[in-house]
Amino acid sequence: MTATGDVYNLKKVSDFSGNYVAGQGGAAVGGGGGGVSMRNQHGVVMNLTGTGTGVKLALGAKGVDVKLKK
């Protein structure tokens, strides 16, 4: 699976790391695409679209932790 997307409200790079939770829920597209909007505790929003066979992008109740490598 591959995901691409846009990032909003990023004021400084360190704000990118954090726990992201679903903002508008996930979506699945059987033909090979799906999308999700998520927000972290710093107000950074990521809108991702995934491609691949039977892709479904969705977040659990705890969200997902994102960390930048140094």
Side-chain angles (χ1 to χ4, degrees), residues 1-64:
M1 182 191 121
T2 300
T4 60
D6 297 310
V7 176
Y8 301 94
N9 303 331
L10 183 64
K11 295 182 173 89
K12 55 186 179 181
V13 174
S14 61
D15 287 346
F16 187 75
S17 296
N19 183 265
Y20 286 81
V21 294
Q24 298 175 347
V29 179
V36 67
S37 177
M38 52 192 181
R39 174 185 302 265
N40 75 6
Q41 70 274 18
H42 304 291
V44 178
V45 175
M46 279 198 284
N47 294 331
L48 298 178
T49 302
T51 57
T53 304
V55 168
K56 179 180 179 183
L57 290 176
L59 297 177
K62 293 184 180 180
V64 62

